[in-house]
């Protein structure tokens, strides 16, 4: 879900069509687009490495996802409370999706199944093979 949502967030900046009947381009702040792109890239990379089974990377994935979706929550809340002139009001559905994504990330990366998964991948927690021990 992280990978898909981050990719869709970056894709939302793409032009929406070509030709005379295309909607006018939306002018986004290049700084906002750059930060969003870098955060989305961090979410994707950290999530992929965490899913491979690197225990430390789950914290990076969780942190980058919370920052990424937290900024989306902040953006929606601010645009609902005091929208800028000429800008549409915040979208309650987008706010809900961002909150749910934060909750899902907390559940996935901090839950007991995640602990079991990462402990099975970490060599410090593996039990030694007892076949080499003498049996009486």
């Amino acid at each position: 879900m992280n990978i898909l949502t981050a990719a869709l967030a970056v894709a939302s900046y793409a032009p929406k069509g070509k030709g005379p009947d295309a909607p006018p381009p939306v002018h986004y702040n290049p700084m906002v687009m750059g930060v969003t792109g870098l955060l989305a890239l961090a979410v994707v990379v950290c999530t992929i490495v965490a899913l491979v089974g690197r225990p430390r990377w789950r914290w990076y994935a969780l942190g980058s996802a919370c920052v990424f979706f937290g900024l989306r929550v902040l953006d929606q809340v601010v645009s609902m409370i005091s929208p800028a002139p000429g800008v549409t009001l915040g979208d309650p559905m987008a706010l809900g999706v961002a909150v749910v994504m934060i909750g899902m990330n907390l559940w996935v990366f901090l839950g007991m199944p995640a602990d079991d998964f990462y402990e099975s991948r970490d060599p410090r927690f593996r039990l030694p093979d007892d076949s080499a021990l003498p049996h009486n």
Side-chain angles (χ1 to χ4, degrees):
M1 290 297 292
N2 278 350
I3 297 166
L4 178 65
T5 308
L8 288 174
V10 172
S12 69
Y13 291 130
K16 306 294 188 244
K18 295 181 181 180
D21 57 346
V26 178
H27 298 344
Y28 289 106
N29 183 341
M31 181 91 135
V32 171
M33 289 175 62
V35 169
T36 301
L38 288 175
L39 280 174
L41 180 65
V43 169
V44 169
V45 169
C46 292
T47 300
I48 289 172
V49 175
L51 288 175
V52 169
R54 305 284 184 186
R56 186 180 324 146
W57 282 81
R58 78 171 164 167
W59 301 110
Y60 301 145
L62 178 62
S64 63
C66 285
V67 169
F68 180 74
F69 293 113
L71 287 175
R72 295 179 74 77
V73 166
L74 183 65
D75 176 47
Q76 293 301 320
V77 169
V78 167
S79 64
M80 285 179 181
I81 293 172
S82 61
V87 176
T88 59
L89 287 174
D91 183 13
M93 182 62 80
L95 175 64
V97 167
V99 169
V100 167
M101 288 303 293
I102 290 173
M104 283 180 58
N105 276 285
L106 290 171
W107 175 66
V108 165
F109 288 116
L110 298 179
M112 186 66 75
D115 288 340
D116 294 341
F117 172 73
Y118 289 114
E119 284 177 7
S120 71
R121 300 283 191 252
D122 194 347
R124 292 178 297 160
F125 296 108
R126 290 199 182 124
L127 295 174
D129 184 19
D130 66 347
S131 62
L133 297 176
H135 295 286
N136 292 339

